[in-house]
Amino acid sequence: MSTDSAVSAGPAPARRLLPLLVPALAVGVASALVLLGVSVVADRLQDVLWQTLPDALSIGRYSSLWMIVMLTATGLVAGLAIRAVPGRAGPDPATMGLVDPPLAPGVVPGLLVVTVLALAGGVSLGPENPITAANIALAYWAGRRFAPDAPAALWVSLAAAGTIGALFGTPVAAALILSETLASTPGPGALWDRLFGPLAAGAAGALTMTLLAHPSFDLSLPPYTHAHWGDLLSAVVIASAGAVLGLAAVYAFPHVHRAFRALPHPVLALTLGGLLLGLLGALGGHLTLFKGLDEVKELAADPDGWSAGRFAVMAVVKTAALLIAATCGFRGGRIFPAVFSGVALGLCAHALVDGVPVSLAVTCAVLGVLLAVTRQGWLSLFTAAVLASDMALLPLLCVASLPAWLLVTGRPQMQLHEDGTPLR
């Protein structure tokens, strides 16, 4: 994404930055409200599909049969909805990243509908990509309508920052992601001048979500007391293993996508994708369903509750589910399911070698998986750190990120060009 500065060349004086505050705050609040609305609707529908309905039919809520039936039905309904809504709910999701150029506003309602279906139906994708795309489209439409002289890229950056701030409950994540983009994009003004508006939007989105929903990424892991030389080696090995797991999905991504696109109709691709996700859910258990944010907390609450083999199965199943969901046509993001894969892998490492601290194993594995899947260094480091909320881990995470980054840099990304070739 190209993000131009909203100010003229040279150091931006306060009188040119202050006018950004009102639109930035408005976009940030609106972005959080869209995310919150979609999340609430999806949660209510999830309760109906996974509690009320199976109870009424006297079927186990998370029995293998119900998981297979529900995921297959979700794929069928989502496929029919995508076929019916204006704009087919946007481009092929395999070609879209976290922050992309604005979609047409008429696409947004259909995109939100199919996102709710995927979230409620148990698909292993998060809300981040489609919600960010929807908010960018709405902010761009409103901005061009009410402030046509403002740079078009301003509205993209404000909506992206507001949404990311709301997703993570802090504007820091938005600032880190956009700083990577801005650092590689020529433009006038100091970096903090260019981050002024997006940071305000991210803060507004984060505060809105925090006040209304109280989100938290803290897994309440055991505290990490102090570093040992052996922990340094463990951190490097586990982060590298996470990167390898993520890269396996990245390299399979174009091939699985090509297989689904070879089917004669998108509805068939989504139905088949739903069936495969149901089978994977039956194999990995109900914790491997859904976006993974709530499920990962349940997993981390009992680090000794499963064997190393079971943790390994959950990590592989969740990664495979992410791969299938992202290639068959479901709308959704890849960050939250990748976090689950990393947590399961880290708990597997701890179960294999109980001398490795739980918090170290989990955060390093998440760091490695996210580096491979997102190719966002700051986002990966930030997400891994907030899972433990322990500053003592940060030096080890920084060291562990270096070999993991060497493994992933220059490799294909989990995103495709329109012709189906991998993005690098």
Side-chain angles (χ1 to χ4, degrees), residues 112-173:
L112 296 181
V113 167
V114 297
T115 299
V116 167
L117 291 173
L119 292 173
V123 176
S124 291
L125 292 173
E128 59 273 18
N129 285 31
I131 299 299
T132 304
N135 283 335
I136 287 174
L138 294 174
Y140 179 79
W141 173 82
R144 301 303 286 170
R145 182 180 180 87
F146 297 107
D149 294 333
L154 171 66
W155 307 110
V156 176
S157 62
L158 293 183
T163 308
I164 296 168
L167 280 163
F168 289 92
T170 170
V172 176

Side-chain angles (χ1 to χ4, degrees), residues 20-26 28-29 158 161-162 171 195-207:
L20 293 177
L21 274 178
V22 172
L25 295 176
V29 171
L158 293 183
L195 280 174
F196 182 83
L199 191 58
L207 284 172

Side-chain angles (χ1 to χ4, degrees), residues 101-380:
L103 301 174
V107 174
V108 171
L111 177 60
L112 296 181
V113 167
V114 297
T115 299
V116 167
L117 291 173
L119 292 173
V123 176
S124 291
L125 292 173
E128 59 273 18
N129 285 31
I131 299 299
T132 304
N135 283 335
I136 287 174
L138 294 174
Y140 179 79
W141 173 82
R144 301 303 286 170
R145 182 180 180 87
F146 297 107
D149 294 333
L154 171 66
W155 307 110
V156 176
S157 62
L158 293 183
T163 308
I164 296 168
L167 280 163
F168 289 92
T170 170
V172 176
L176 291 174
I177 292 175
L178 291 177
S179 67
E180 290 193 34
T181 303
L182 292 171
S184 62
T185 304
L191 177 61
W192 274 97
D193 290 338
R194 302 165 70 190
L195 280 174
F196 182 83
L199 191 58
L207 284 172
T208 301
M209 184 61 70
T210 299
L211 292 171
L212 296 177
H214 313 292
S216 174
F217 278 74
D218 187 1
L219 298 182
S220 300
L221 297 170
Y224 182 74
T225 53
H226 58 276
H228 301 277
W229 287 109
D231 292 345
L232 182 60
L233 176 61
S234 300
V236 169
V237 171
I238 294 171
S240 299
V244 170
L245 176 63
L247 282 176
V250 169
Y251 274 102
F253 196 75
H255 304 290
V256 179
H257 178 265
R258 192 178 305 117
F260 278 115
R261 289 300 168 267
L263 297 174
H265 201 283
V267 175
L268 180 59
L270 278 158
T271 304
L272 176 60
L275 172 61
L276 294 175
L277 291 176
L279 293 171
L280 285 171
L283 175 63
H286 73 277
L287 290 180
T288 61
L289 301 178
F290 304 102
K291 62 180 180 287
L293 185 57
D294 295 328
E295 291 73 23
V296 80
K297 293 179 180 179
E298 185 175 345
L299 198 67
D302 190 9
D304 301 316
W306 292 269
S307 66
R310 190 60 187 168
F311 281 129
V313 168
M314 286 191 280
V316 172
V317 165
K318 190 66 173 182
T319 305
L322 166 60
L323 172 64
I324 291 172
T327 52
C328 72
F330 284 110
R331 272 52 175 173
R334 299 150 200 167
I335 295 174
F336 293 127
V339 168
F340 183 99
S341 296
V343 170
L345 180 64
L347 292 173
C348 172
H350 169 72
L352 286 172
V353 184
D354 59 5
V356 177
V358 175
S359 53
L360 175 72
V362 166
T363 54
C364 288
V366 169
L367 172 65
V369 175
L370 282 178
L371 282 174
V373 170
T374 69
R375 213 58 54 89
Q376 292 272 359
W378 283 123
L379 173 65
S380 303

